[in-house]
Amino acid sequence: MSRKMLIKPFHSIESTATASHNWRRRQVLRAGVSTIALALVAPRLAHASSVLGVRVWPARDYTRVTIESDQPLQNNQQLLQGPDRLVVDLNGIDLDQELRDLVSKITPNDPQIQAVRIGQYQPHVVRMVFDLKGSVKPQVFTLTPIGSYKYRLVFDLYPAVAPDPLMELLAQSERKQEAFDKTNPNPNPPPATLSGPTTAPKPLAQDNSDDFFQKYADSADLPRAPVASIPPIPSPAPRPTVKPAVPLAPPLAKKEDDDDNYAFSAPKSNSKPGTTRLLTVAIDPGHGGEDPGAIGGNGTYEKHIALDIAKKLRAKIDAQPNMRAMMTRDADFFVPLNVRVQKARRVGADLFVSIHADAFTTPDARGSSVFALSDHGASSAAARWLANKENESDSIGGINVRTQDVSVNRALFDMSTTAQIRDSMRYGNFVLNEIGGINKLHKGSVEQAGFAVLKAPDIPSILVETAFISNPDEESRLNDDAYRDKMANAIMKGIKRYFAANPPLAKNRMT
């Protein structure tokens, strides 16, 4: 074998080794270039966020501004004074038409925001300046995608001095008294009760409860029912901090065909002998603001239906001489479930009613329902499904979890008593009996489930599903103003029947 033949394989090995080294070097260089390119492109990708919608929900309680985008938005904010304003920088975004439209969405009647100015502050940084009408306590937080929503950046602007529902209720009672002062010059009319049957109605056949009647110790754009004239009410002597309730009006003339009046006396107040306190009903229109509730096939929003029925019910209650109503929301804005309960307890409500319009997975389900709280599981699979759905309201409407005292809220919701559930069942049966006169009942008895909004431990509470908004026929009925008025009237009758059969005890508290 020649020398060339012996040497050639070694040259081939050396060449192969060199080629392999060069290939690995090229791969390393290529990876390095890719890393550098990715580092340069990544910021541009981060700035590619698009705004999908901007919404504003003004209310006395607070004003909410929501910016929805396809990616999470980073922000910096600063609260300034002289004049009051909130400056917000949105990072990783460019000014587009959706953001520009925010300017036109600030209405003159917004309680918190005077105006908003928006501009491209820096490349990929949009600055928003909210000119405020007064001092606010802002809460800014983000929400991850849920339901039909993508990423949301939320600005909740709370007034520095929060409105007190009890003071508002007192002001309402004072207006009621002023109306009486103008129409009744007699300061001492005899106290009386409402006229009407003194016996409680028979329960539904499905209820089968022998001991049931035993006594025991306003979309803001929907039309509003006219307020009935206020019967004469005597004027009590003023007190510096506590306004005593007024005595009942003279007896109403009873008609043979009028079963709307049921005899019950307002309880005596412990604060002053010879006076009576007004019975307070807390009305809770379900959903609101970012949480539309169920949506019917023709686009009907549950939150608008619930608010209109609630306003009609409020008008009917306020027209009574010995009753008054408080609403957990009176406009289109979101109220967390625990806040609804807290508002009712703050005013010392005697009863609580939450108003909704049901939805199910199929359009065949129909009928009205009444629910009470359960401490041992739901009474049916449908009730459990509905309670879980309604309890998701906080996630859909959006709450700032950093401001929620979880331990306090859990303690509140664990305080529910057997007595509260018992009273709620009695109350619910009266209302269900009346609702059955205007619509088919989905089930002929009060159902039970773990609704968070019903967990006031000291207030009989029910949730009324007025109809299935997912059923085309019932959606059409819910869009009928006359039907909504009948539904409010039926709930009102049930409330009066409950008070007639179960007179509330006197309470030493604000009348």
Side-chain angles (χ1 to χ4, degrees):
M1 182 178 297
S2 67
R3 181 177 179 83
K4 291 183 178 181
M5 292 180 65
L6 292 174
I7 295 175
K8 187 173 182 180
F10 291 96
H11 282 294
S12 298
I13 293 173
E14 183 180 358
S15 300
T16 301
T18 301
S20 176
H21 173 74
N22 290 339
W23 179 84
R24 285 196 301 271
R25 186 168 179 271
R26 286 195 300 271
Q27 290 298 105
V28 171
L29 290 175
R30 187 176 294 121
V33 171
S34 300
T35 302
I36 295 172
L38 181 61
L40 294 174
V41 172
R44 296 188 180 183
L45 293 176
H47 292 307
S49 298
S50 330
V51 174
L52 305 177
V54 178
R55 297 177 291 275
V56 182
W57 310 101
R60 286 179 304 166
D61 288 34
Y62 70 102
T63 292
R64 168 170 288 190
V65 178
T66 303
I67 301 175
E68 185 180 1
S69 59
D70 60 350
Q71 298 182 45
L73 291 177
Q74 301 298 321
N75 75 94
N76 301 302
Q77 68 273 345
Q78 186 177 10
L79 190 61
L80 303 176
Q81 294 179 330
D84 293 307
R85 60 201 186 278
L86 176 66
V87 180
V88 179
D89 288 340
L90 300 177
N91 304 316
I93 197 168
D94 293 321
L95 185 60
D96 59 9
Q97 190 58 47
E98 287 286 352
L99 284 173
R100 288 190 177 96
D101 288 343
L102 176 59
V103 174
S104 62
K105 293 181 179 180
I106 304 300
T107 58
N109 63 345
D110 190 308
Q112 275 69 243
I113 303 176
Q114 181 71 42
V116 63
R117 293 168 282 151
I118 302 177
Q120 190 75 52
Y121 178 59
Q122 293 177 357
H124 311 307
V125 178
V126 173
R127 169 161 290 184
M128 303 187 301
V129 180
F130 294 93
D131 297 316
L132 306 172
K133 292 182 177 180
S135 299
V136 301
K137 296 179 180 179
Q139 291 187 14
V140 183
F141 55 97
T142 58
L143 297 170
T144 54
I146 185 172
S148 61
Y149 291 123
K150 299 297 184 181
Y151 295 93
R152 286 177 288 171
L153 178 62
V154 179
F155 302 87
D156 284 347
L157 307 180
Y158 290 87
V161 179
D164 187 340
L166 182 57
M167 297 306 296
E168 294 175 4
L169 201 61
L170 273 175
Q172 171 189 328
S173 299
E174 290 174 354
R175 290 192 297 268
K176 199 169 190 177
Q177 179 180 321
E178 290 171 1
F180 160 76
D181 291 339
K182 293 179 181 179
T183 57
N184 186 4
N186 179 14
N188 295 306
T193 61
L194 294 177
S195 62
T198 58
T199 58
K202 293 182 179 180
L204 296 174
Q206 299 93 323
D207 295 335
N208 195 25
S209 303
D210 295 334
D211 62 342
F212 176 75
F213 296 110
Q214 280 189 333
K215 275 196 170 185
Y216 67 100
D218 272 299
S219 124
D221 296 327
L222 290 172
R224 177 174 176 174
V227 180
S229 59
I230 300 174
I233 305 173
S235 173
R239 297 182 62 181
T241 57
V242 178
K243 178 70 67 176
V246 294
L248 295 175
L252 301 175
K254 183 181 184 302
K255 300 178 181 178
E256 292 299 327
D257 58 345
D258 183 8
D259 65 345
D260 191 25
N261 298 314
Y262 305 97
F264 65 93
S265 299
K268 297 294 183 182
S269 171
N270 291 342
S271 60
K272 182 178 179 180
T275 63
T276 56
R277 66 177 179 87
L278 296 179
L279 303 174
T280 304
V281 179
I283 308 173
D284 174 50
H287 309 283
E290 286 287 286
D291 176 19
I295 302 176
N298 290 325
T300 306
Y301 279 22
E302 178 184 4
K303 65 176 182 177
H304 296 324
I305 297 297
L307 181 60
D308 186 62
I309 294 175
K311 286 184 174 182
K312 292 182 186 322
L313 177 58
R314 176 180 64 180
K316 296 176 188 299
I317 290 175
D318 288 343
Q320 302 300 313
N322 59 344
M323 298 174 67
R324 62 186 176 183
M326 183 279 293
M327 292 178 63
T328 59
R329 71 176 180 95
D330 57 4
D332 187 11
F333 65 98
F334 172 72
V335 182
L337 297 175
N338 68 309
V339 175
R340 297 170 190 258
V341 176
Q342 290 168 4
K343 283 187 173 185
R345 301 190 76 208
R346 171 61 179 152
V347 301
D350 296 287
L351 293 179
F352 178 95
V353 54
S354 189
I355 299 175
H356 294 255
D358 224 342
F360 199 61
T361 54
T362 67
D364 298 328
R366 62 183 301 136
S368 300
S369 305
V370 175
F371 294 85
L373 185 64
S374 172
D375 60 354
H376 56 272
S379 57
S380 68
R384 182 184 305 108
W385 179 88
L386 181 62
N388 291 337
K389 177 174 170 293
E390 297 293 358
N391 290 345
E392 288 179 351
S393 179
D394 280 352
S395 299
I396 297 172
I399 59 173
N400 186 1
V401 294
R402 290 173 297 178
T403 65
Q404 301 298 307
D405 191 328
V406 177
S407 59
V408 171
N409 291 336
R410 183 181 297 113
L412 172 64
F413 285 167
D414 288 345
M415 285 170 58
S416 301
T417 64
T418 302
Q420 188 261 22
I421 295 175
R422 178 198 64 200
D423 295 346
S424 299
M425 291 294 291
R426 290 173 172 171
Y427 166 34
N429 269 287
F430 279 108
V431 173
L432 187 72
N433 191 44
E434 297 296 334
I435 290 177
I438 66 168
N439 191 30
K440 175 185 180 294
L441 295 178
H442 185 64
K443 188 175 181 181
S445 60
V446 177
E447 296 198 70
Q448 294 180 263
F451 291 90
V453 78
L454 301 182
K455 293 187 176 182
D458 48 0
I459 306 173
S461 304
I462 62 171
L463 185 146
V464 177
E465 293 287 0
T466 55
F468 276 90
I469 203 170
S470 54
N471 181 291
D473 293 336
E474 295 204 334
E475 180 186 8
S476 177
R477 298 191 73 186
L478 289 169
N479 278 304
D480 180 14
D481 185 72
Y483 175 79
R484 295 196 300 271
D485 188 68
K486 288 179 181 178
M487 180 60 65
N489 198 50
I491 298 172
M492 177 67 199
K493 286 183 178 181
I495 290 172
K496 292 174 70 175
R497 284 181 180 267
Y498 174 79
F499 280 141
N502 306 276
L505 298 176
K507 297 181 181 179
N508 188 16
R509 65 177 182 187
M510 188 80 71
T511 60

